């Protein structure tokens, strides 16, 4: 990440890395560059290359490179949860590139697995960071000597020392204005498993209002661990930087609605649902823009017959198996209450459906629409809707339920910034929206299925909780408890 002086500084090192999706700025094809690797391979006269791992985009480019340069290539797919790798006979003509985790490798099992080991390794260098941690015996080791002023933004981050932490809770972000506040943060949060380090922020290093991290993909070659870069991309934080950031006055932790502005971990609940100009149908039949929609508004929804007696969550499952005629004859309007509204801004994939009549409909890739596929009614995400599927829209010119069948002829996808709103509702998972991205469908609304997760600004969910009311409950093990949040 960039520090306040514009310097790039490493914050951690990883192996068994994945490949990010729409939250990265660059397209896949622009993220990898083998020019330095090519020079290295030719200088060493390698004639054979083995790749161990499952980074598919890298594996594909490496295979093509080897073919173009008459180099023998062999891939050894190893998943990112594996801890051992296959043995490959080593020699001077063979290069073994590994992205999979190996417990017998020093870099993997020391510096990648344990972030404190990496922090200690670089702490005395110009690019090291200040941090505080506890040893196993509880002894506090504090290397923090400065309190940076990041304005309204956090200046410290609490991170897990090891992999496998709860990403719904960590990392945590804090703002300390003086040594007393910093001491309280350290006392209440730093353990042998969680450490505090400075949070790097530079107001001149943002993209479309987002902070970001630079992910650099490098091959470390023994015995000197020469670093050979093979790629790099820019990964955006979940949400844009917001104004008027607030903090808990006792713990100094950033309040939950702002946490996504500083966290890079993708969370499906933050897929934006509505543009400012998108319309939501209210219970009285009028339409209100997402911008004007308020907590407490009563919106119109639809109750879909449940003839098979399965859970409402099965609306998104092939088990639901509802026939179109049953839907058309039995569905009724109902109402629901908006319980929360949060501004979100994200780089994401948008899909545009084109119908047989030439009209179009556009929404985010994960938006789930009611369709008729092969005579069965089911909800499908936009990226999973294909030519021949029939999207079921509702004609809103009167109070009757009049389904409009739109047969899909094409589904195209593009990546761009989507600035919108995440809306959560009290009980029903269905609501009616009209998108500004549609053409020649101005009289119609779509039937959308709400996400089966609790929103991030509500209480913590320890697992998916599809039956929980939105925005309020405390979910534990998928069961809604009555605890006060």
């Amino acid at each position: 990440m960039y520090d306040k002086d514009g310097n790039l500084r490493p914050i951690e090192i990883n192996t068994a890395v994945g490949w990010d999706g729409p939250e990265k700025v660059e397209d896949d094809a622009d993220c990898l560059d083998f020019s330095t690797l090519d020079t290295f391979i030719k200088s060493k006269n390698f004639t054979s290359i083995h790749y161990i791992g499952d980074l598919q985009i890298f594996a594909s480019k490496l295979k093509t490179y080897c073919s173009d340069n008459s180099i023998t290539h062999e891939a050894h797919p190893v998943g990112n949860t594996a801890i051992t790798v296959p043995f490959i006979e080593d020699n001077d003509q063979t290069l073994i590139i590994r992205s999979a985790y190996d417990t017998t490798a020093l870099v993997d099992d020391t510096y990648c697995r344990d972030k404190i080991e990496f922090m200690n390794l670089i702490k005395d260098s110009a690019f090291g960071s200040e941090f505080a941690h506890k040893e196993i015996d509880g002894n506090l080791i504090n290397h923090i000597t400065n309190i940076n002023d990041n304005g309204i933004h956090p200046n410290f981050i609490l991170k897990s020392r090891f992999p496998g932490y709860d990403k719904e809770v960590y990392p945590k972000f804090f703002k300390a204005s003086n040594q007393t506040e910093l001491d309280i943060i350290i006392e209440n949060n730093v353990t042998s498993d969680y450490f505090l380090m400075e949070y790097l922020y530079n107001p001149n290093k943002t993209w479309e209002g987002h902070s970001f991290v630079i992910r650099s993909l490098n091959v470390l070659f023994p015995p000197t661990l020469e670093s050979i870069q093979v790629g790099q991309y820019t990964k955006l934080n979940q949400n844009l930087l917001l104004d008027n950031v607030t903090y808990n006055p006792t713990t100094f932790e950033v309040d939950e609605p702002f946490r996504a502005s500083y966290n890079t971990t993708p969370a499906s609940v933050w897929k934006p649902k509505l543009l400012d100009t998108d319309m939501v149908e209210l219970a009285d039949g009028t339409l209100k823009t997402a911008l004007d929609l308020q907590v407490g508004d009563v919106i119109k929804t639809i109750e879909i017959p449940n003839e098979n007696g399965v859970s409402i969550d099965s609306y998104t499952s092939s088990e639901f198996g509802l026939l179109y005629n049953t839907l058309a004859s039995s569905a009724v309007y109902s109402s629901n209450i908006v319980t929360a509204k949060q501004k979100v801004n994200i780089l994401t994939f948008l899909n545009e459906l084109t119908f047989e009549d030439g009209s179009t409909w556009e929404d985010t890739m994960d938006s789930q629409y009611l369709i008729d596929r092969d005579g069965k009614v089911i909800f499908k995400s936009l990226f999973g809707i294909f030519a021949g599927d029939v999207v079921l829209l509702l004609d809103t010119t009167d109070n009757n339920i009049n389904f409009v069948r739109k047969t899909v002829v094409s589904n195209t996808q593009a990546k761009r910034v989507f600035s919108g709103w995440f809306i959560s509702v009290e009980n029903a998972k269905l609501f009616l929206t009209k998108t500004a991205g549609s053409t020649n469908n101005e009289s119609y609304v779509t039937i959308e299925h709400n996400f089966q997760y609790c929103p991030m600004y509500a209480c913590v969910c320890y697992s998916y909780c599809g039956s929980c009311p939105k925005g309020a409950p405390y979910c534990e093990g998928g069961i809604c408890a009555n605890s006060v949040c």
Side-chain angles (χ1 to χ4, degrees):
M1 294 183 69
Y2 285 100
D3 64 17
K4 60 184 177 62
D5 297 320
N7 302 309
L8 266 177
R9 290 161 60 186
I11 54 176
E12 60 184 61
I13 182 173
N14 300 289
T15 189
V17 294
W19 189 259
D20 290 295
E23 63 273 4
K24 66 180 186 299
V25 173
E26 299 83 2
D27 292 330
D28 286 348
D30 299 323
C31 295
L32 295 176
D33 182 354
F34 280 9
S35 55
T36 304
L37 180 64
D38 175 62
T39 300
F40 173 76
I41 289 172
K42 290 175 179 175
S43 70
K44 298 292 185 180
N45 296 314
F46 289 121
T47 59
S48 175
I49 297 178
H50 292 254
Y51 170 60
I52 306 172
D54 67 346
L55 199 58
Q56 294 302 316
I57 188 168
F58 174 81
S60 177
K61 186 175 180 68
L62 182 64
K63 181 178 180 180
T64 300
Y65 169 83
C66 290
S67 176
D68 292 344
N69 289 274
S70 301
I71 296 174
T72 302
H73 169 268
E74 187 171 350
H76 308 268
V78 175
N80 60 10
T81 59
I83 58 174
T84 58
V85 298
F87 172 77
I88 298 170
E89 187 72 34
D90 193 13
N91 58 65
D92 291 341
Q93 288 76 46
T94 299
L95 173 62
I96 304 169
I97 300 177
R98 174 179 56 81
S99 65
Y101 187 83
D102 182 4
T103 55
T104 66
L106 175 66
V107 170
D108 297 49
D109 210 45
T110 301
Y111 301 115
C112 293
R113 184 185 67 88
D114 188 340
K115 292 182 177 64
I116 293 299
E117 293 286 354
F118 177 69
M119 298 295 291
N120 278 320
L121 179 68
I122 66 172
K123 68 180 176 64
D124 295 325
S125 66
F127 49 80
S129 292
E130 297 186 351
F131 65 102
H133 71 100
K134 283 186 177 180
E135 296 178 328
I136 299 299
D137 61 5
N139 183 40
L140 176 67
I141 308 297
N142 190 353
H143 299 290
I144 300 175
T145 59
N146 296 292
I147 300 177
N148 294 325
D149 182 5
N150 288 344
I152 64 172
H153 304 293
N155 51 5
F156 290 98
I157 177 174
L158 185 77
K159 301 174 67 173
S160 173
R161 179 174 182 170
F162 304 106
Y165 59 93
D166 187 347
K167 292 181 175 61
E168 293 291 332
V169 179
Y170 299 97
K172 293 183 177 183
F173 303 89
F174 300 87
K175 184 177 185 295
S177 301
N178 51 57
Q179 187 63 46
T180 299
E181 293 179 357
L182 177 58
D183 290 343
I184 292 173
I185 294 170
I186 292 174
E187 175 66 24
N188 292 340
N189 296 277
V190 172
T191 68
S192 59
D193 290 328
Y194 295 93
F195 69 98
L196 193 75
M197 67 176 288
E198 56 183 311
Y199 180 74
L200 303 179
Y201 170 72
N202 186 316
N204 299 316
K205 296 294 184 179
T206 61
W207 192 90
E208 296 282 348
H210 288 251
S211 286
F212 57 81
V213 299
I214 301 294
R215 290 196 69 184
S216 179
L217 286 78
N218 297 61
V219 174
L220 301 180
F221 187 74
T224 62
L225 294 184
E226 176 184 356
S227 181
I228 305 159
Q229 188 178 57
V230 295
Q232 175 178 299
Y233 60 79
T234 308
K235 181 180 180 181
L236 300 184
N237 288 355
Q238 291 178 32
N239 203 5
L240 80 168
L241 296 168
L242 301 172
D243 296 327
N244 304 314
V245 182
T246 59
Y247 297 82
N248 184 297
T250 303
T251 66
F252 312 109
E253 182 178 356
V254 70
D255 287 334
E256 189 63 30
F258 301 95
R259 180 172 176 261
S261 296
Y262 311 105
N263 192 9
T264 59
T265 304
S268 59
V269 296
W270 282 106
K271 297 294 184 185
K273 292 302 299 177
L274 301 171
L275 289 165
D276 285 354
T277 52
D278 282 350
M279 310 292 285
V280 177
E281 186 165 3
L282 302 183
D284 62 6
T286 60
L287 294 167
K288 205 172 191 179
T289 66
L291 182 63
D292 294 332
L293 198 67
Q294 300 295 324
V295 171
D297 281 345
V298 181
I299 64 173
K300 181 180 284 189
T301 185
I302 185 173
E303 293 186 6
I304 294 178
N306 191 355
E307 63 176 1
N308 294 333
V310 295
S311 165
I312 187 173
D313 299 336
S314 295
Y315 281 165
T316 59
S317 166
S318 58
E319 299 173 359
F320 191 64
L322 180 67
L323 299 177
Y324 174 74
N325 289 338
T326 303
L327 170 70
S329 61
S330 305
V332 295
Y333 284 126
S334 183
S335 63
N336 208 350
I337 299 174
V338 176
T339 57
K341 176 185 176 183
Q342 176 69 32
K343 182 68 175 178
V344 288
N345 178 291
I346 196 168
L347 188 64
T348 189
F349 287 116
L350 283 92
N351 285 63
E352 183 181 66
L353 303 177
T354 301
F355 303 118
E356 279 185 347
D357 61 5
S359 62
T360 64
W361 199 283
E362 183 184 69
D363 209 337
T364 50
M365 61 178 287
D366 285 341
S367 296
Q368 296 187 347
Y369 282 13
L370 192 65
I371 70 167
D372 184 344
R373 174 178 290 173
D374 300 327
K376 296 292 181 67
V377 173
I378 193 172
F379 278 92
K380 283 293 181 183
S381 297
L382 251 66
F383 69 85
I385 295 178
F386 309 114
D389 287 338
V390 178
V391 174
L392 302 177
L393 304 180
L394 277 172
D395 189 338
T396 57
T397 55
D398 56 38
N399 289 324
N400 297 318
I401 291 186
N402 300 309
F403 287 102
V404 178
R405 298 171 61 87
K406 294 275 188 171
T407 302
V408 177
V409 294
S410 67
N411 186 350
T412 58
Q413 188 176 83
K415 184 172 69 173
R416 67 172 185 265
V417 172
F418 188 109
S419 181
W421 297 90
F422 178 83
I423 306 293
S424 64
V425 293
E426 188 175 49
N427 290 309
K429 292 190 170 75
L430 310 179
F431 56 102
L432 311 178
T433 61
K434 180 183 294 187
T435 176
S438 65
T439 59
N440 299 322
N441 284 315
E442 287 76 9
S443 297
Y444 307 139
V445 296
T446 186
I447 307 162
E448 289 204 53
H449 195 290
N450 209 4
F451 285 100
Q452 298 184 17
Y453 312 93
C454 293
M456 292 178 63
Y457 45 80
C459 297
V460 175
C461 287
Y462 292 105
S463 67
Y464 296 161
C465 43
S467 299
C468 291
K470 305 299 179 188
Y474 183 89
C475 306
E476 189 169 356
I479 300 173
C480 295
N482 295 320
S483 303
V484 176
C485 294

